[in-house]
Amino acid sequence: MASDCRLLPLRVLLPGMDQRPRRVTINDIAAATGFAASTVSRALSRPGRVNAVTRDAITQVARSLSYVPNTHARALTSGRTETVAVLVSDVTNPFYFGLIRGTQHQLKAAGYAHLLIDSENSGGLESHMLTKMRQSIDGAILAASRLPDRLLAALAAELPIVAINRNVHGVPSVLIDSPSGVAQATEHLISLGHREIAYLSGPENSWANAARWRALVTTAARHGLPVRRLGPFPADRMNGSAAADALINTNVTACITFNDLLAIGVLARLHERGVNVPGQISIVGCDDIFGADFCHPTLTTLTAPIEQAGQVAVSMLLTRLHEGAPTTRQSIVLPTHLTVRDSTGPAPD
């Protein structure tokens, strides 16, 4: 019993041992500095509206007290969450690495959080996630959106968005000009003596896929040459095997693929089957992803300013958010160019 009595005072003497420290508030900073809470709030959320001496005094005290802004409370009062969603169609595709880096750096510099969402090549999942996150984000950047034009335009009327590689009326967009790159690639192959070229098609719901095919058809037609479209194929390395097998069953001597992942898979399968590249067939990829110059043979491909596209998209979105009106630039086109490596060569005799 005596032992029990000695334990009881410990509970009385040490109350709240499991409680977390109280969060520092704007009122605490106001009390420490002598400024009104409203002045403290302006200095921390809109520093440009407070003179430099006052702002520096307040931020110094806030830092010493380890003040952390309450973003939820700020969102309730301002209607802003300072968070932007970035949706990509396949987060495992190296094409998106540079784009994610570009959006991340630009948003961080502007004080915004970056919410990355993998839409898994599904327009339905895109729509679901944006509806679910609507109250938690200020806007969104949609890279290679799989939404139909009508739904994408309707979304842009309700939520500030910028689309990358989608050209829909009323939707601000950043376009990587891969069609002109495909035209360059086609001219390159024709100059090497190739007279029948195939296109290994990517996802049917991809706007860029359709644009690249049209560019190939138009350029080949100017030379009076036929083209073939094979696929569609899922745009990954694994499905390059099926694409290569389909290619072997044709008489073409060159092909342009939807993206580099598919092209790298094609190269691997052709090597397995003893088909020489570029001796028997030339291969061109799209995007110039990390690794395109490591495969064997190194891949001729379209080089695109992917990271810049992410940065430009963020700038357009932030302009819309800060000015409260659609950006005056509805569409920005970034150029591409053909990078010639070892996977293309003269047509076989």
Side-chain angles (χ1 to χ4, degrees), residues 43-349:
L44 296 176
S45 62
R46 298 183 179 88
R49 298 181 60 184
V50 179
N51 73 68
V53 174
T54 300
R55 181 178 67 242
D56 291 346
I58 289 172
T59 54
Q60 184 176 351
V61 170
R63 194 178 300 114
S64 69
L65 295 175
S66 299
Y67 170 72
V68 178
N70 187 333
T71 54
H72 179 66
R74 181 182 295 177
L76 290 175
T77 57
S78 69
R80 294 283 179 87
T81 65
E82 296 186 349
T83 299
V84 168
V86 177
L87 283 76
V88 300
S89 58
D90 178 6
V91 75
T92 66
N93 187 338
F95 169 81
Y96 292 112
F97 295 171
L99 189 145
I100 293 168
R101 183 166 54 246
T103 54
Q104 168 77 12
H105 289 174
Q106 201 80 349
L107 287 168
K108 180 182 178 182
Y112 279 74
H114 180 282
L115 176 63
L116 178 63
I117 298 174
D118 184 349
S119 66
E120 301 176 14
N121 279 303
S122 168
L125 184 57
E126 275 186 64
S127 179
H128 171 73
M129 293 302 297
L130 287 171
T131 299
K132 186 175 183 179
M133 302 301 299
R134 180 65 183 90
Q135 300 304 315
S136 303
I137 59 176
D138 293 337
I141 293 170
L142 279 60
S145 173
R146 304 309 192 209
L147 286 170
D149 289 0
R150 177 180 57 83
L151 293 182
L152 189 57
L155 175 65
E158 299 175 0
L159 175 71
I161 67 169
V162 173
I164 297 177
N165 273 358
R166 280 296 300 276
N167 191 14
V168 177
H169 179 71
V171 180
S173 61
V174 178
L175 303 175
I176 296 174
D177 192 11
S178 58
S180 70
V182 168
Q184 293 177 45
T186 307
E187 295 284 0
H188 167 66
L189 293 172
I190 293 171
S191 74
L192 292 171
H194 297 279
R195 291 297 176 260
E196 188 170 357
I197 302 169
Y199 178 67
L200 300 184
S201 176
E204 287 188 289
N205 58 356
S206 165
W207 176 86
N209 185 58
R212 291 167 188 176
W213 166 244
R214 287 194 300 269
L216 172 57
V217 170
T218 300
T219 307
R222 285 202 298 268
H223 295 269
L225 299 178
V227 291
R228 284 197 180 197
R229 182 171 181 165
L230 304 177
F233 301 100
D236 54 42
R237 188 180 186 278
M238 182 181 303
N239 284 279
S241 294
D245 290 342
L247 191 61
I248 289 172
N249 290 331
T250 70
N251 295 318
V252 303
T253 60
C255 81
I256 297 173
T257 64
F258 168 69
N259 71 355
D260 286 349
L261 282 181
L262 194 61
I264 291 170
V266 168
L267 289 176
R269 179 60 171 170
L270 291 178
H271 177 73
E272 288 177 3
R273 296 195 58 177
V275 178
N276 182 268
V277 177
Q280 293 173 264
I281 189 165
S282 290
I283 308 293
V284 178
C286 288
D287 301 332
D288 202 8
I289 62 171
F290 177 80
D293 56 343
F294 295 162
C295 56
H296 181 74
T298 55
L299 185 63
T300 295
T301 185
L302 310 185
T303 300
I306 302 169
E307 186 168 341
Q308 183 186 2
Q311 294 170 343
V312 171
V314 169
S315 296
M316 291 177 69
L317 182 64
L318 294 182
T319 298
R320 166 77 184 275
L321 293 175
H322 294 163
E323 296 182 359
T327 175
T328 55
R329 295 290 299 275
Q330 284 293 305
S331 181
I332 294 178
V333 180
L334 301 179
T336 61
H337 65 273
L338 182 69
T339 297
V340 178
R341 299 194 180 104
D342 296 334
S343 67
T344 53
D349 295 333

